[in-house]
C-alpha cells in the first residue's frame, strides 16, 4: 500500500515493521516527527513511547530496554547526540541484546540548528555502524532492517537522515502485514554488563573485530548499489546526494557509473574495489564531512589503486551547507571539465523585504523579554539565552538575547560571566522544556557556588519550537496519559533558590514589579513567566485595534515590541488580522489609543 | 508526464497544506511524487517555500533553480523571491496580498508593492494575479487563501489530474466542518482566473 509520508513518518512505519517495542527521545528539528508518529501509534501497536528529559536519559532508558532483549529506538537531532555521547561511547563496548537503533537527524545548511556536525563521523568515532538514507522510502527500509543489523552485530546502530529526508514527502510503500510481537528474554545477570577497566580492554578488542563484521555485512547490503554506465570516470554518492547526482547526470545527458552508498561506516571495501576496477578517476559527492572520501583515500592507498579521487580535499565539493542538483551539476561539470551551455538566469528584482522567522503575534516571550529589559533599563545587564523559540528574542527591536550556545547554557554561561564581571546584572532566559533538559544542573551549580543572577523560565507549557511536545512540567505524557506535573517553582525552591516567583507575562505591571525585585535580590532568583504558547490557544481573547483619534503615532508599539500583528499604515500603526489579543501593546500605549476590537469607542 | 511546482509564501499561510493536497492528489492518480517543505524553527512570519514534484523521473525532493513549471505565490514579495526557481516560460499564479514584515515597519528593509507587480509583469512569460486573500475572506476566512490559490491553479488545466480529483482530495484532507468554506474558496479561485 502506498502512503504519502514524510521521511520521519516513514522511519516510524519502518520501526513498526522492524518490531520496535520501546521508543524514547528528546525533540529536536528535524528529528521530532519520528517519535511523535510512533507515539501516535503506540496504543494500537502496543509499544512504549516516552519522551525523555534529555538525549542522555533517552539513550540510557532505551539501552536498558535493549539489555532486557527488547527492540528499542531512540530519536534525537545531531547535537542531541553530544548530550548522549557519554552512554553511547561505552555502550559500544558493552553491546546490546535486543536491537537498538538511534535515529539521529543531521541538519546541513543548517536550517534549524546551531552547527552542521556530521553524525556519520560521530558513528565512526564511536565505532558503530551507520545507515544514510537517500529518501523516505529507503529510510523506512533502513529503520526496519536496522534492528536485525543491530542484533546480528550486538551493537547499537545509527540511522542518520538529513533534513531533506526527514522533512520531505514521498509516495512510500508501506506494509500492512501485522508484525508478530517479539518474545523478550529478559535481563540476564552476568559480568558483561559492568564496565570495569579490565572488561573495557577486552571489549575494545571485540569492538574492533566487529568493525570487520559490520563491513562484511554491508558488502552485500541492498543499501549500496552500482548503477552501471560507460567510460573510465565515475561518481560515488552518499545519502541524499545520490538523487542530486542522478538528476544532474540526467540534465547533463551523461551515462557514467555511479556507486550509491547507504552504509557510510564501515564502508564495504570489496564493493568499492570492484567498482574502482574499471575506473581511472572518481568523484565523491557527499554532504558535510568527507566521511566516504577519507575511507576511500585510505582504501585506495592500502590497495595501491592508481585511481584519482576528487571531492572535498581539492575543494570541488563544499564541506559546508547543503548540496542540491544545481550545485552538483556544476561540480560534475568541473570534475569532467565540461562547459555548461546553459547560463544562469540573472534576476534583477526590486529590493525584497528581509523576512526572518520571528516571535509570533501574541507570543508570551515577547512580553517577558520586554519586562526584563524595562526592569534592567539603565544598567548594563547581560541577557544570556538558550535554545528554543525564545532565541528569536535576539532580533530587533527586542535585542534581549546576548548569548546562545547550546541546550541549558543560559544559566551556566551567566554564572561564568558574573564571576568575571561581578557588578553586572545577569539575566538568564530559558524555556520550560530546556529547564528540565539541562537547565537544572546549572541552577544547582549556581546556587551552590553562590552566584548572583536572575533565572527567567519562559514557561509556555510546551516544547514549542519543535512542534509542541510534552515535558515533565505538564500533566500528560507523550502518549497523552495523565500524569502529575513537576512544578518548576517548587523544584527551584528545593534547589535552595532564595527568591522564586511565578507571574503571568501578559500582566505587565505585576511582571515588572517581580522583575525589579528579582534583579535586586542578592543571590539566585528564579522567575517563572507562565503563560501557554499562543500557537496552542484557540480563540478566547479579543483582538485589539487602534483608535486613530487618540493615537499620536509615537511609534512605541512598533519600535519597542516588533509584534508582527502591528504594521505601519498611512496614518500611524495598524493592528492586523493576526492579533491574538495578548494585550501587551494596550498596557504600554501612552495615550490609551489601543482598545478591544468591537469595544466601546 | 513531469511537473514541478513551487509554492512560496509567509509562515502561517497554509503553504504546507497546499503542497500536501497537490502531492496526495498526484499519488492517488498513480504518479510518483516528492515534496519538500519548511518545517520547524518558528516558521511563522518567516519565508516559507514548498516544492512538489510529480511524475516519472522525480529524483530528490528539491527542484533545481530555473526549472519549476509553476510558481504559486501566496504573498507578493515572496512570489518575486520564488521566481529564481521558475523555468523560462513557466506559469506564475500570484496573490496580490502583501504582508509587511516587522523589518519594514522598523525601517530596516524596503517593500514597494508597485515595483513588485511591474517587475512580475516584465519578467514572467505567463502570469495571473488575483486577490486570493480577499476572495478567501469572501468565502469565510482569510485562512483559506491557500485553497483559493489551488482553485485558481486547477482552472488552468495544467495539472496531470482533473479538477474534481483535486477537489475530492482537498475535502478528504480538510476537517469536515470547514468543507463548505473551502469549497467556496476553491470555486472563487477558479472563477478569478476565468473558470466557470
Amino acid at each position: 500500500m502506498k502512503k504519502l509520508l514524510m521521511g520521519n513518518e516513514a522511519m516510524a512505519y519502518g520501526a513498526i515493521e522492524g518490531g520496535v517495542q520501546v521508543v524514547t527521545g528528546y525533540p529536536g528539528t528535524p528529528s521530532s516527527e519520528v517519535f511523535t508518529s510512533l507515539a501516535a501509534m503506540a496504543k494500537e501497536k502496543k509499544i512504549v513511547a516516552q519522551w525523555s528529559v534529555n538525549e542522555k536519559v533517552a539513550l540510557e532508558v532505551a539501552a536498558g530496554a535493549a539489555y532486557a532483549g527488547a527492540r528499542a529506538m531512540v530519536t534525537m537531532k545531531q547535537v542531541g547526540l553530544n548530550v548522549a555521547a557519554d552512554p553511547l561511547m561505552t555502550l559500544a563496548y558493552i553491546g546490546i541484546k535486543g536491537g537498538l537503533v538511534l535515529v539521529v537527524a543531521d541538519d546541513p545548511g543548517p536550517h534549524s540548528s546551531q552547527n552542521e556536525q556530521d553524525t556519520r563521523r560521530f558513528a565512526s568515532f564511536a565505532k558503530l555502524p551507520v545507515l544514510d538514507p537517500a529518501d523516505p522510502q529507503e529510510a523506512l527500509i533502513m529503520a526496519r532492517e536496522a534492528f536485525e543489523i543491530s542484533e546480528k552485530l550486538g551493537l547499537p546502530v545509527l540511522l542518520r537522515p538529513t533534513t531533506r529526508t526527514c522533512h520531505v514527502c514521498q509516495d512510500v510503500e508501506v506494509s500492512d502485514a501485522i508484525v508478530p510481537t517479539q518474545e523478550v528474554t529478559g535481563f540476564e545477570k552476568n559480568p558483561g554488563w559492568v564496565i570495569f577497566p579490565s572488561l573495557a580492554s577486552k571489549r575494545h578488542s571485540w569492538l574492533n573485530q566487529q568493525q570487520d563484521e559490520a563491513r562484511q555485512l554491508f558488502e552485500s547490503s541492498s543499501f549500496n548499489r552500482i548503477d552501471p554506465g560507460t567510460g573510465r570516470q565515475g561518481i560515488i554518492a552518499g545519502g541524499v546526494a545520490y538523487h542530486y547526482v542522478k538528476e544532474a547526470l540526467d540534465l547533463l545527458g551523461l551515462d557514467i557509473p555511479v556507486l550509491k552508498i547507504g552504509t557510510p561506516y564501515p564502508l564495504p571495501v570489496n564493493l568499492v574495489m570492484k567498482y574502482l576496477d574499471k575506473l581511472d578517476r572518481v568523484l565523491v559527492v557527499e554532504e558535510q564531512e568527507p566521511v566516504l572520501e577519507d575511507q576511500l583515500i585510505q582504501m585506495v592507498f592500502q590497495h595501491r589503486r592508481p585511481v584519482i579521487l576528487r571531492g572535498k580535499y581539492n575543494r570541488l565539493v563544499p564541506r559546508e551547507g547543503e548540496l542540491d542538483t544545481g550545485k552538483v551539476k556544476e561540480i560534475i561539470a568541473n570534475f569532467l571539465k565540461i562547459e555548461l551551455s546553459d547560463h544562469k538566469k540573472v534576476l534583477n528584482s526590486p529590493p525584497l523585504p528581509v523576512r526572518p522567522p520571528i516571535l509570533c503575534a501574541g507570543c508570551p516571550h515577547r512580553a517577558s523579554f520586554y519586562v526584563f529589559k524595562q526592569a534592567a533599563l539603565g544598567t548594563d545587564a547581560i541577557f544570556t539565552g538558550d535554545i528554543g523559540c525564545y532565541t528569536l528574542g535576539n532580533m530587533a527591536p527586542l535585542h534581549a538575547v546576548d548569548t546562545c550556545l547550546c541546550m541549558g547554557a543560559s544559566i551556566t554561561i551567566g554564572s561564568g560571566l558574573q564571576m568575571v564581571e561581578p557588578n553586572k546584572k545577569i539575566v538568564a532566559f530559558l524555556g520550560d522544556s530546556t529547564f528540565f533538559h539541562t537547565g537544572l544542573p546549572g541552577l544547582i551549580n549556581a546556587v551552590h557556588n553562590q552566584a548572583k543572577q536572575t533565572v527567567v523560565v519562559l514557561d509556555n507549557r510546551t516544547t514549542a519550537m519543535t512542534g509542541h511536545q510534552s515535558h515533565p512540567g505538564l500533566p500528560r505524557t507523550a502518549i497523552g496519559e495523565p500524569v502529575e506535573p513537576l512544578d518548576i517553582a517548587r523544584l527551584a525552591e528545593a534547589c535552595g533558590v532564595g527568591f522564586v516567583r511565578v507571574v503571568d507575562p501578559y500582566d505587565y505591571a505585576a511582571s515588572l514589579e517581580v522583575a525589579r525585585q528579582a534583579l535586586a535580590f542578592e543571590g539566585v532568583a528564579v522567575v517563572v513567566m507562565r503563560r501557554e504558547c499562543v500557537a496552542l490557544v484557540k480563540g478566547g481573547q479579543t483582538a485589539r485595534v487602534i483608535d486613530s483619534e487618540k493615537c499620536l503615532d509615537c511609534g512605541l508599539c512598533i519600535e519597542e515590541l516588533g509584534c508582527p500583528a502591528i504594521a505601519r499604515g498611512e496614518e500611524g500603526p495598524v493592528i492586523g488580522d493576526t492579533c491574538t489579543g495578548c494585550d501587551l501593546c494596550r498596557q504600554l500605549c501612552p495615550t490609551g489609543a489601543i482598545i478591544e476590537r468591537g469595544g466601546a469607542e | 508526464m513531469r511537473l514541478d511546482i513551487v509554492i512560496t509564501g509567509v509562515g502561517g499561510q497554509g503553504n504546507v497544506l497546499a503542497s500536501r493536497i497537490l502531492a496526495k492528489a498526484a499519488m492517488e492518480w498513480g504518479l510518483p511524487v516528492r515534496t519538500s517543505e519548511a518545517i520547524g524553527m518558528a516558521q511563522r512570519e518567516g519565508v516559507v517555500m514548498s516544492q512538489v514534484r510529480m511524475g516519472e523521473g522525480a529524483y530528490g525532493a528539491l527542484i533545481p533553480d530555473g526549472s519549476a513549471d509553476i510558481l504559486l505565490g501566496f504573498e507578493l514579495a515572496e512570489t518575486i523571491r520564488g521566481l529564481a526557481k521558475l523555468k523560462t516560460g513557466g506559469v506564475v499564479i500570484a496573490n496580490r496580498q502583501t504582508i509587511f514584515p516587522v523589518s519594514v515597519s522598523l525601517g530596516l528593509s524596503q517593500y514597494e508593492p508597485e515595483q513588485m507587480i511591474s517587475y512580475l509583469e516584465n519578467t514572467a512569460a505567463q502570469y495571473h494575479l488575483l486577490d486570493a486573500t480577499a476572495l478567501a475572506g469572501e468565502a469565510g476566512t482569510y485562512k483559506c487563501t491557500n485553497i483559493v490559490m489551488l482553485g485558481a491553479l486547477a482552472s488552468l488545466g495544467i495539472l496531470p489530474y482533473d479538477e474534481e480529483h483535486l477537489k475530492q482530495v482537498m475535502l478528504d484532507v480538510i476537517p469536515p466542518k470547514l468543507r463548505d468554506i473551502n469549497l467556496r474558496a476553491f470555486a472563487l479561485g477558479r472563477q478569478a482566473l476565468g473558470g466557470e
Side-chain angles (χ1 to χ4, degrees):
Chain A
M1 180 184 38
K2 287 250 178 181
K3 270 187 186 229
L4 183 69
L5 293 181
M6 194 159 68
N8 282 345
E9 296 168 309
M11 284 181 274
Y13 278 88
I16 296 285
E17 290 180 21
V20 71
Q21 290 156 297
V22 171
V23 56
T24 63
Y26 185 80
T29 308
S31 73
S32 312
E33 299 82 5
V34 180
F35 180 97
T36 53
S37 306
L38 280 165
M41 295 188 273
K43 283 178 188 165
E44 182 202 342
K45 303 288 183 189
K46 298 190 175 62
I47 60 172
V48 178
Q50 292 183 353
W51 279 128
S52 307
V53 294
N54 65 38
E55 295 84 356
K56 167 179 156 67
V57 171
L59 177 55
E60 290 159 357
V61 171
Y67 280 10
R71 288 192 165 179
M73 178 173 269
V74 198
T75 74
M76 63 191 74
K77 67 183 297 177
Q78 88 283 30
V79 285
L81 192 58
N82 302 336
V83 180
D86 195 6
L88 184 76
M89 297 304 291
T90 306
L91 195 56
Y93 284 50
I94 291 272
I96 43 80
K97 193 160 89 177
L100 177 61
V101 179
L102 288 86
V103 178
V104 185
D106 279 356
D107 187 23
H111 296 274
S112 312
S113 301
Q114 60 268 42
N115 73 28
E116 293 188 289
Q117 70 185 60
D118 190 327
T119 296
R120 300 173 305 156
R121 190 70 106 195
F122 213 128
S124 69
F125 173 51
K127 307 188 185 187
L128 293 172
V130 58
L131 309 175
D132 185 11
D135 52 46
Q137 179 70 70
E138 192 176 41
L140 182 147
I141 300 167
M142 284 179 172
R144 182 179 69 210
E145 304 299 320
F147 293 98
E148 284 280 337
I149 298 170
S150 169
E151 285 173 8
K152 258 184 207 157
L153 296 169
L155 287 174
V157 168
L158 285 89
L159 170 55
R160 171 271 200 180
T162 62
T163 307
R164 300 305 184 178
T165 298
C166 294
H167 284 171
V168 309
C169 295
Q170 184 181 1
D171 49 317
V172 172
E173 191 63 45
V174 178
S175 157
D176 41 15
I178 293 168
V179 183
T181 317
Q182 291 253 327
E183 280 293 318
V184 174
T185 50
F187 180 69
E188 290 156 289
K189 293 189 183 190
N190 79 50
W193 302 115
V194 184
I195 192 76
F196 280 114
S198 56
L199 178 67
S201 73
K202 274 186 219 147
R203 293 301 285 180
H204 195 185
S205 310
W206 170 81
L207 178 58
N208 287 337
Q209 281 166 27
Q210 294 309 91
Q211 309 303 296
D212 292 332
E213 290 294 318
R215 201 183 299 281
Q216 198 56 43
L217 199 62
F218 289 158
E219 291 286 0
S220 57
S221 167
S222 61
F223 305 138
N224 306 316
R225 178 174 76 232
I226 297 172
D227 294 344
T230 53
R232 298 194 61 83
Q233 306 189 88
I235 302 175
I236 298 180
V240 293
Y242 170 72
H243 287 301
Y244 304 145
V245 166
K246 293 298 278 187
E247 184 166 17
L249 289 176
D250 204 15
L251 292 171
L252 292 165
L254 296 170
D255 170 42
I256 64 178
V258 175
L259 172 59
K260 174 203 174 295
I261 295 292
T263 66
Y265 180 82
L267 195 57
V269 61
N270 295 337
L271 177 73
V272 168
M273 287 305 137
K274 185 181 140 202
Y275 172 72
L276 294 181
D277 256 350
K278 297 188 184 73
L279 299 175
D280 302 325
R281 291 177 82 237
V282 170
L283 171 69
V284 188
V285 185
E286 60 191 315
E287 286 180 329
Q288 299 170 278
E289 292 300 295
V291 172
L292 299 179
E293 199 175 332
D294 281 346
Q295 293 178 84
L296 288 162
I297 290 169
Q298 201 180 348
M299 284 176 185
V300 164
F301 183 79
Q302 270 179 340
H303 291 79
R304 296 165 191 266
R305 287 295 173 96
V307 174
I308 294 166
L309 287 175
R310 289 283 177 261
K312 300 201 189 256
Y313 287 108
N314 55 329
R315 298 176 193 275
L316 209 52
V317 182
R319 232 169 143 142
E320 310 83 12
E322 275 190 303
L323 294 175
D324 59 36
T325 300
K327 286 181 192 167
V328 170
K329 196 170 113 184
E330 281 180 28
I331 291 166
I332 294 174
N334 262 330
F335 167 68
L336 298 173
K337 300 183 175 74
I338 48 179
E339 288 276 326
L340 287 178
S341 55
D342 53 336
H343 295 288
K344 273 197 176 163
K345 217 162 57 166
V346 182
L347 294 168
N348 296 308
S349 69
L352 290 168
V354 179
R355 203 190 294 275
I358 55 170
L359 295 173
C360 298
C363 176
H365 300 336
R366 177 177 292 105
S368 298
F369 285 130
Y370 189 71
V371 155
F372 276 89
K373 271 191 72 179
Q374 289 304 303
L377 211 62
T379 73
D380 47 5
I382 303 174
F383 299 105
T384 60
D386 223 300
I387 305 277
C389 288
Y390 46 86
T391 315
L392 299 171
N394 165 263
M395 312 285 264
L398 291 169
H399 297 300
V401 173
D402 298 321
T403 71
C404 176
L405 179 66
C406 63
M407 289 289 286
S410 53
I411 303 177
T412 40
I413 293 280
S415 300
L417 286 167
Q418 198 247 329
M419 219 182 271
V420 183
E421 301 194 72
N423 297 323
K424 282 193 182 165
K425 302 242 179 253
I426 304 289
V427 184
F429 290 101
L430 78 169
D432 39 353
S433 193
T434 305
F435 178 81
F436 291 108
H437 181 279
T438 34
L440 206 42
L443 181 65
I444 294 169
N445 184 71
V447 172
H448 174 69
N449 291 305
Q450 297 166 291
K452 185 175 171 300
Q453 66 184 104
T454 300
V455 174
V456 184
V457 183
L458 301 165
D459 182 5
N460 63 350
R461 318 300 296 147
T462 187
T463 314
M465 184 169 66
T466 47
H468 300 108
Q469 292 83 14
S470 65
H471 63 64
L474 301 173
R476 59 178 187 278
T477 65
I479 58 165
E481 301 277 313
V483 68
E484 193 60 37
L486 267 71
D487 186 325
I488 293 172
R490 286 179 60 202
L491 266 171
E493 280 165 7
C495 291
V497 176
F499 179 101
V500 181
R501 298 287 185 280
V502 181
V503 67
D504 177 1
Y506 282 0
D507 184 340
Y508 179 68
S511 299
L512 187 62
E513 181 53 31
V514 167
R516 284 186 175 141
Q517 289 171 13
L519 288 173
F521 185 74
E522 293 291 323
V524 178
V526 169
V527 181
V528 181
M529 304 296 282
R530 184 168 294 163
R531 171 56 73 162
E532 191 171 37
C533 171
V534 70
L536 292 176
V537 180
K538 302 263 186 290
Q541 312 247 24
T542 319
R544 300 292 181 264
V545 286
I546 293 174
D547 178 351
S548 55
E549 300 275 297
K550 286 190 189 162
C551 176
L552 300 177
D553 197 9
C554 70
L556 181 143
C557 55
I558 287 178
E559 283 152 26
E560 300 273 299
L561 300 179
C563 174
I566 313 177
R568 224 179 259 290
E570 305 244 310
E571 294 157 16
V574 181
I575 299 181
D577 285 334
T578 51
C579 172
T580 65
C582 79
D583 202 41
L584 177 65
C585 59
R586 188 197 62 79
Q587 295 172 71
L588 298 176
C589 177
T591 64
I594 300 177
I595 52 174
E596 277 196 20
R597 187 169 292 182
E601 290 188 20
Chain B
M1 173 73 214
R2 260 291 299 284
L3 198 71
D4 286 351
I5 305 172
V6 168
I7 308 174
T8 60
V10 175
Q13 285 194 301
N15 195 304
V16 174
L17 182 67
S19 91
R20 294 285 171 89
I21 292 171
L22 288 171
K24 196 156 185 284
M27 182 186 74
E28 290 179 5
W29 202 254
L31 298 169
V33 65
R34 304 279 187 279
T35 76
S36 175
E37 289 126 357
I39 292 168
M41 176 144 177
Q43 295 300 339
R44 282 192 171 194
E45 309 291 341
V47 174
V48 292
M49 179 186 282
S50 295
Q51 311 185 27
V52 187
R53 317 188 79 179
M54 47 184 89
E56 293 304 326
Y59 293 97
L62 299 182
I63 299 170
D65 284 353
S67 71
D69 301 287
I70 300 167
L71 169 64
L72 275 186
F74 286 6
E75 198 275 347
L76 192 58
E78 296 316 315
T79 304
I80 305 301
R81 218 190 296 272
L83 282 172
K85 280 276 170 204
L86 196 69
K87 72 178 184 190
T88 309
V91 179
V92 183
I93 304 174
N95 184 9
R96 282 184 184 273
Q97 195 203 8
T98 54
I99 299 176
F100 283 65
V102 169
S103 69
V104 171
S105 298
L106 294 173
L108 301 173
S109 70
Q110 272 180 286
Y111 194 146
E112 301 293 344
E114 294 76 23
Q115 282 184 19
M116 308 274 172
I117 289 178
S118 62
Y119 180 74
L120 184 63
E121 286 168 347
N122 294 328
T123 314
Q126 301 182 62
Y127 73 94
H128 307 271
L129 263 171
L130 71 160
D131 202 337
T133 307
L135 292 172
E138 215 175 290
T141 166
Y142 74 94
K143 289 180 181 166
C144 58
T145 300
N146 52 355
I147 304 299
V148 175
M149 294 296 288
L150 290 188
L153 170 61
S155 76
L156 297 181
I158 45 180
L159 290 171
Y161 35 76
D162 63 46
E163 247 184 88
E164 272 312 304
H165 175 68
L166 180 64
K167 202 195 285 183
Q168 198 50 52
V169 171
M170 185 261 291
L171 291 176
D172 291 346
V173 169
I174 277 166
K177 62 174 183 179
L178 300 175
R179 280 185 184 180
D180 289 344
I181 288 181
N182 283 291
L183 278 175
R184 281 199 295 277
F186 193 89
L188 287 168
R190 291 188 66 236
Q191 289 160 16
L193 296 201
E196 287 155 25

